[in-house]
Amino acid sequence: MLFPEVDEKATKEKVDSLLKNYHKIRRLSGMPIEQKVTATYSLDPKSFTGMNSSAIENGTIKKLDAVSLYRDINAAINTLDAYSRKRIYDKYINSTRYYDYEVFSAEQISEATYYREVGKAMIEFAEAFQSGSLLVFENE
């Protein structure tokens, strides 16, 4: 079947879980990687096992993962129509954090309409993000 039935509730939970961390991901993707100098003035901190651990490598990998995730999120948002993009932006991306009731009151729409539109935008985002990797299907 080309379009199996999507479990909307589970899919929305996955989208919410990802997008709630958008600002953290954005900060991590721009986080400077600082080298640490140990007491022995080595740039590679030693572990108690005598093996070199690489905090710099781990930090770099973490940053690259965050950059990749940040780009994937933005690419998915940019594929949405303007209305859905606005709903996702207002709820998750806007640096000025508003409560949901502030958004639907300012736009003079009902609470039910607002949540219906946000839900639709979340499903569309899930479809667009990494080729649908956030989609949860019925009977899985």
Side-chain angles (χ1 to χ4, degrees):
M1 178 181 238
L2 182 58
F3 299 111
E5 200 62 36
V6 173
D7 181 340
E8 290 190 10
K9 182 178 179 187
T11 298
K12 288 177 191 177
E13 287 172 2
K14 286 179 80 171
V15 169
D16 185 62
S17 177
L18 173 66
L19 291 179
K20 275 202 278 193
N21 290 305
Y22 177 83
H23 294 284
K24 184 186 299 183
I25 293 164
R26 183 184 49 78
R27 286 189 302 272
L28 285 172
S29 68
M31 178 178 68
I33 306 298
E34 297 178 22
Q35 295 183 350
K36 294 181 181 178
V37 178
T38 64
T40 59
Y41 298 100
S42 168
L43 292 177
D44 287 329
K46 306 275 189 238
S47 69
F48 291 109
T49 62
M51 298 177 61
N52 288 340
S53 66
S54 181
I56 295 169
E57 281 180 27
N58 292 341
T60 301
I61 290 169
K62 190 176 196 176
K63 180 176 179 171
L64 290 174
D65 289 345
V67 167
S68 177
L69 191 55
Y70 180 74
R71 287 182 179 157
D72 288 348
I73 290 170
N74 286 322
I77 289 170
N78 288 331
T79 65
L80 303 177
D81 62 73
Y83 202 72
S84 292
R85 188 170 38 241
K86 180 175 177 12
R87 288 290 172 242
I88 295 292
Y89 179 83
D90 287 345
K91 185 157 179 69
Y92 297 105
I93 310 302
N94 193 346
S95 59
T96 304
R97 307 252 171 84
Y98 295 108
Y99 292 106
D100 289 345
Y101 74 86
E102 293 175 305
V103 176
F104 62 75
S105 295
E107 294 187 14
Q108 298 180 343
I109 60 174
S110 72
E111 182 177 0
T113 298
Y114 172 77
Y115 285 115
R116 186 173 48 253
E117 291 171 354
V118 167
K120 176 182 168 280
M122 291 171 81
I123 297 298
E124 290 175 3
F125 175 84
E127 292 168 346
F129 182 76
Q130 296 178 341
S131 301
S133 68
L134 293 176
L135 291 171
V136 177
F137 298 102
E138 299 286 340
N139 302 323
E140 277 193 0

